[in-house]
Amino acid sequence: AVVVLRPRALTGPGDPTILPRLLEAISAKRLPLIGPRALADLTPVDTAAGAAVAALRAQRRAVDGRTFNVTNDEPVRLWAVLGRVCD
């Protein structure tokens, strides 16, 4: 079976993308213009791992050839995330 899992904004230990980019932008004082209500759905690595396990355990006909977007399904305000990163 072929299954595609597409996690959105994957975060967690060893994150090589999201957190390092935010820290770099903050230190360079070059944050992109983000409106105060901008939302993002950050996906913890545990959630993505759970999706992978679920895909492996699913009946083949239910997942074969399909693509699944994996999210935390809890959008957060980007400014709140930036505030936590800066603390």
Side-chain angles (χ1 to χ4, degrees):
V2 174
V3 179
V4 176
L5 300 178
R6 298 178 59 207
R8 175 75 179 130
L10 194 59
T11 61
D15 171 13
T17 307
I18 303 293
L19 184 58
R21 284 184 183 172
L22 280 176
L23 293 174
E24 183 179 317
I26 290 166
S27 67
K29 297 182 181 179
R30 292 182 170 240
L31 285 173
L33 185 58
I34 301 170
R37 295 183 180 194
L39 296 173
D41 194 344
L42 305 176
T43 306
V45 70
D46 292 346
T47 300
V53 169
L56 288 168
R57 291 181 176 165
Q59 291 184 7
R60 183 177 184 148
R61 68 178 182 275
V63 296
D64 192 25
R66 296 191 57 198
T67 299
F68 297 91
N69 294 316
V70 180
T71 76
N72 201 39
D73 202 27
E74 295 179 9
V76 294
R77 295 216 183 271
L78 285 176
W79 281 111
V81 173
L82 290 173
R84 286 192 304 245
V85 168
C86 291
D87 283 343

